[in-house]
Amino acid sequence: MTQLDPLESAGLADSVRAAGLKVTAPRLAVLGMLQHAPHSSAEEVFAGVRNELPGTSVQAVYGVLAAFTFAGLVRRIDPASSPALFECRVGDNHHHILCVRCGDLKDVDCVIGAAPCLTPSDTSGFTVYAAEVTFTGLCEPCQKQLVLEGSADQ
Ligand SMILES: [Zn+2]
Ligand SMILES: [Zn+2]
């Protein structure tokens, strides 16, 4: 269980207020959890805040995350074949890389200047605001694991 220190709690309350939302205990707990553990699913956030908020439910956490996403305080990522993930790092148009074996997800910074860092060949007349790319591959621990498993076969 992560108990928030008063200074951190005040910072979280400011962020919630700045997003135009009312400050509530569940909102502070959920935001605090996401700052410590970016790219968490609603279930993971719930597991992280349930001790702090004994009366809360997964549904309540989903509600808080939806309100945060709508207010632009939190970014929702929908990787293929895994639950939606949430993070506090918004507005910088960064991308993600996903391990296809263990589901580990990491941030990938834009490499070519400001957002959007990808130029589509045809936008069908759209004005592009952002680009969201999920790279897939194998993380380092999984690569090592596969090498170990491969050598055990021989
Ligand atoms: Zn992996
Ligand atoms: Zn991210």
Side-chain angles (χ1 to χ4, degrees):
M1 163 174 169
T2 46
Q3 196 60 54
L4 300 172
D5 66 64
L7 202 71
E8 189 181 357
S9 184
L12 293 173
D14 285 346
S15 303
V16 172
R17 235 176 266 123
L21 296 169
K22 248 181 75 185
V23 176
T24 62
R27 284 177 178 165
L28 291 184
V30 168
L31 193 61
M33 170 70 196
L34 275 185
Q35 287 191 347
H36 287 285
H39 311 132
S40 292
S41 67
E43 274 77 12
E44 286 166 340
V45 172
F46 174 64
V49 300
R50 69 201 300 181
N51 290 334
E52 210 176 317
L53 302 164
T56 199
S57 64
V58 191
Q59 266 59 44
V61 168
Y62 268 111
V64 169
L65 288 170
F68 280 174
T69 307
F70 188 71
L73 191 57
V74 153
R75 177 172 162 190
R76 177 189 165 122
I77 313 137
D78 285 284
S81 71
S82 60
L85 305 174
F86 299 87
E87 69 179 338
C88 298
R89 193 179 158 185
V90 293
D92 70 347
N93 199 69
H94 72 277
H95 307 304
H96 293 102
I97 189 158
L98 175 76
C99 177
V100 293
R101 192 164 177 268
C102 70
D104 192 17
L105 188 103
K106 294 266 189 292
D107 286 335
V108 177
D109 290 329
C110 280
V111 281
I112 319 168
C117 75
L118 299 173
T119 309
S121 53
D122 182 8
T123 60
S124 304
F126 280 56
T127 299
V128 177
Y129 289 154
E132 194 177 326
V133 176
T134 305
F135 301 94
T136 53
L138 271 183
C139 71
E140 252 187 281
C142 283
Q143 291 174 43
K144 288 193 182 121
Q145 188 75 33
L146 285 183
V147 170
L148 285 177
E149 283 172 11
S151 57
D153 289 341
Q154 278 140 33

